[in-house]
Amino acid sequence: MKNYLYIINRPPYGGSQSIDQLDCALVAAAFDGAVSLLFCGDGVWNLLPEQDGSQLGQKTVSKLLKALPTYDIDNLYVCDASLAARGLDLLNLGLEGPWASISMIEQSNLIREQDVVVGA
């Protein structure tokens, strides 16, 4: 089994990259990949609750995030510096599942442990 890390660093509705990466992560997990997600940079905006992409003709990111446990995706990470720079706090985002806020050093270690890294 390969270890996949998807680094999501784009805002949720500025294009399709974030949603495409989440879709790819779900597919990898469905085919027994060990999937981890790392949200950093403007990608942390994907984690805000109460989003609705339907008005833009896109999928709603929060619905995809709620599907992660169904696909056994439970290695969920957020860059602590990215949260702080945007005035966000992991505890106040209301996320379900085992989310962890990690430092730059921890991110480097996480990346090194993967077989496949998508995004950057």
Side-chain angles (χ1 to χ4, degrees):
M1 174 184 324
K2 286 193 175 193
N3 294 315
Y4 295 87
L5 174 64
Y6 291 84
I7 300 174
I8 299 171
N9 61 4
R10 301 289 171 106
Y13 304 109
S16 65
Q17 185 180 11
S18 294
I19 291 173
D20 290 346
Q21 283 183 281
L22 287 170
D23 283 340
C24 288
L26 295 175
V27 170
F31 286 96
D32 291 328
V35 174
S36 300
L37 299 176
L38 170 62
F39 291 80
C40 59
D42 284 337
V44 299
W45 295 120
N46 288 280
L47 305 176
L48 291 176
E50 310 290 325
Q51 295 185 39
D52 184 3
S54 66
Q55 296 197 8
L56 299 170
Q58 295 185 358
K59 293 179 183 177
T60 299
V61 173
S62 59
K63 289 181 181 178
L64 290 172
L65 295 176
K66 288 180 181 177
L68 297 177
T70 304
Y71 289 83
D72 294 325
I73 299 176
D74 54 7
N75 298 317
L76 307 168
Y77 305 98
V78 184
C79 171
D80 58 7
S82 297
L83 287 173
R86 288 155 183 85
L88 300 174
D89 184 291
L90 184 60
L91 298 176
N92 294 333
L93 291 175
L95 298 169
E96 298 176 20
W99 289 86
S101 178
I102 61 175
S103 70
M104 293 294 198
I105 292 172
E106 291 169 313
Q107 290 175 55
S108 294
N109 292 335
L110 177 65
I111 291 168
R112 258 193 308 279
E113 295 168 354
Q114 307 305 308
D115 297 311
V116 178
V117 177
V118 179

